[in-house]
Amino acid sequence: MALDMDKLNEFIGRFVGDLGATVAAGNVVIGHRLGLYKALADGPATAAELAAATKTNSRYVAEWLNGQAAGGYIEFAPATDAYWMTEEQAFALTNPDHPIYMPGAYVLALGSLRAVPRIAEAFRAGEGMGWHEHDEEVFVGCEQFFRNTYIGKLIPSWIPALEGVEEKLRAGARVADIGCGLGASSILLATEYPNSHVHGFDYHDRSIELARKRAGDAGVADRITFEVASAAAFPGSDYDLAATFDCLHDMGDPLSAARHIRRALKPDGTWLVVEPYAADGPGGNMNPVGRIYYNFSTMLCVPSALSQPGGYALGAQAGEAAIRQIATDGGFTRFRRATEWPFNIVYEVRP
Ligand SMILES: C[S@@+](CC[C@H](N)C(=O)[O-])C[C@H]1O[C@@H](n2cnc3c(N)ncnc32)[C@H](O)[C@@H]1O
């Protein structure tokens, strides 16, 4: 069979881009950790100047700068040997409190990839790997990756898309944030709605420990309670709002979680389900966003679900039909896609 050279070259071009991005990932995390992006955003600098400003070694910084510039993450002016950032690069790479902060995603990616040997074994054995068994960078990276979306979307767009929920939160509501991780969503809700009390639950003790610290740092510890609890057995009742942010598909038994949430909600309460953007079948997910999610899901979401009893492993590309089925089987009668953006679908689920 004759090779189609055009197709081969196109495929090799894809490989070159992917390989460059893969090896650049560590340098994005280094830039984030050492403050290199932040310092460069202050104004054009040579390698020596950036190294001096960040108290780093100029030879390493020179190599880092060239890799970043070759990848289009920063700019280079050969005439002056200076490197600089556009407004857009600085916006997306320097401020963890912006709606977009790209380095957090790389922290999560590198942390996830540390599990490759274990996951390769799991492919053969069919075993799971619990969320809690991953490298700490997975927990922190996940927080850093998702928090920016929540800053940009949760308060301005997702809460207002739910019927009557914003009013309840302003007046003072009981909120359960289930599978809360490091509590990024819980803290935003508690900050924006000071009359409400947020109860954050996660089965992972280390995440809860970090979430408590984050709440203290944010000055909202008096209106948040973080507890170690599984989604199918968290304490409390009469919640006005229950929320699962990007975690329902990570559970081995999302059905028991749905049933428990149904019991814990007030009769007029709302379950906010935030899930990765996905079509119902793989055919609709063959795109760059689907690629990100399927690959994270192989390292994190499917192993997490397989590590738990329940028999489910929905994966990060579960799609609306699967989520609706869980909600309906869990005893909910109203299910609606409230809003969406390219990375998430937000469902409103009511008793
Ligand atoms: C992808 S992280 C999302 C964390 C957080 N909701 C966020 O958006 O940043 C998934 C979280 O679900 C938690 N989780 C997985 N299975 C769980 C279960 N059965 N009960 C409670 N939490 C669970 C994990 O510990 C992890 O913190």
Side-chain angles (χ1 to χ4, degrees):
M1 202 175 71
L3 281 178
D4 180 325
M5 292 312 287
D6 289 340
K7 284 187 184 163
L8 181 62
N9 283 329
E10 191 188 318
F11 188 46
I12 291 171
R14 174 180 284 262
F15 154 76
V16 170
D18 285 353
L19 183 61
T22 304
V23 290
N27 277 329
V28 175
V29 172
I30 286 172
H32 150 79
R33 205 159 278 162
L34 301 182
L36 299 174
Y37 292 123
K38 268 192 184 159
L40 193 61
D42 287 343
T46 62
E49 287 163 352
L50 185 64
T54 54
K55 299 188 171 47
T56 50
N57 177 283
S58 66
R59 183 64 193 91
Y60 275 108
V61 169
E63 213 70 356
W64 182 87
L65 283 164
N66 287 328
Q68 294 296 304
Y73 276 44
I74 65 171
E75 304 297 317
F76 175 51
T80 55
D81 269 347
Y83 300 82
W84 52 283
M85 293 175 93
T86 65
E87 288 287 323
E88 296 73 24
Q89 289 162 342
F91 182 85
L93 287 165
T94 62
N95 192 336
D97 296 326
H98 275 168
I100 297 171
Y101 182 60
M102 288 164 32
Y106 287 92
V107 174
L108 176 61
L110 288 192
S112 306
L113 292 176
R114 298 214 170 103
V116 166
R118 167 97 184 256
I119 298 297
E121 284 304 313
F123 267 64
R124 290 194 199 284
E127 285 167 355
M129 177 175 179
W131 182 262
H132 60 282
E133 297 179 271
H134 282 276
D135 190 274
E136 175 126 338
E137 293 289 276
V138 167
F139 321 136
V140 173
C142 181
E143 175 203 31
Q144 290 176 348
F145 185 20
F146 292 153
R147 181 170 170 268
N148 305 88
T149 294
Y150 303 155
I151 288 171
K153 300 285 173 196
L154 176 58
I155 307 297
S157 152
W158 295 351
I159 293 293
L162 306 174
E163 212 184 299
V165 169
E166 191 173 19
E167 294 77 357
K168 286 184 191 173
L169 289 169
R170 293 229 177 275
R174 277 172 59 72
V175 180
D177 186 357
I178 300 136
C180 65
L182 273 59
S185 48
S186 320
I187 290 166
L188 284 175
L189 288 168
T191 305
E192 180 67 19
Y193 307 111
N195 295 328
S196 291
H197 195 97
V198 182
H199 299 260
F201 303 111
D202 200 289
Y203 91 102
H204 179 218
D205 51 0
R206 176 69 179 145
S207 289
I208 289 298
E209 191 185 317
L210 290 170
R212 286 186 183 130
K213 185 175 178 319
R214 300 281 195 273
D217 292 347
V220 293
D222 59 328
R223 40 190 196 266
I224 303 191
T225 314
F226 285 115
E227 278 179 79
V228 175
S230 92
F234 62 87
S237 57
D238 287 333
Y239 291 104
D240 300 282
L241 176 68
T244 49
F245 290 92
D246 214 314
C247 62
L248 191 66
H249 65 266
D250 292 318
M251 297 175 192
D253 194 353
L255 179 56
S256 291
R259 288 187 175 133
H260 188 66
I261 290 168
R262 169 76 182 82
R263 283 191 297 270
L265 274 178
K266 281 183 181 163
D268 66 344
T270 301
W271 177 18
L272 163 64
V273 181
V274 176
E275 280 289 304
Y277 191 96
D280 280 332
N285 299 325
M286 296 300 149
N287 54 59
V289 173
R291 183 189 193 195
I292 292 170
Y293 280 131
Y294 278 124
N295 285 294
F296 271 129
S297 188
T298 313
M299 294 295 142
L300 300 174
C301 313
V302 167
S304 166
L306 291 177
S307 76
Q308 301 181 11
Y312 284 87
L314 294 173
Q317 292 289 266
E320 177 169 344
I323 304 299
R324 179 190 291 270
Q325 190 68 52
I326 297 289
T328 309
D329 293 350
F332 289 89
T333 62
R334 285 179 288 172
F335 183 98
R336 163 176 95 84
R337 187 186 287 226
T339 184
E340 63 185 49
W341 79 299
F343 277 92
N344 298 98
I345 305 178
V346 176
Y347 304 102
E348 180 186 66
V349 186
R350 308 194 65 186

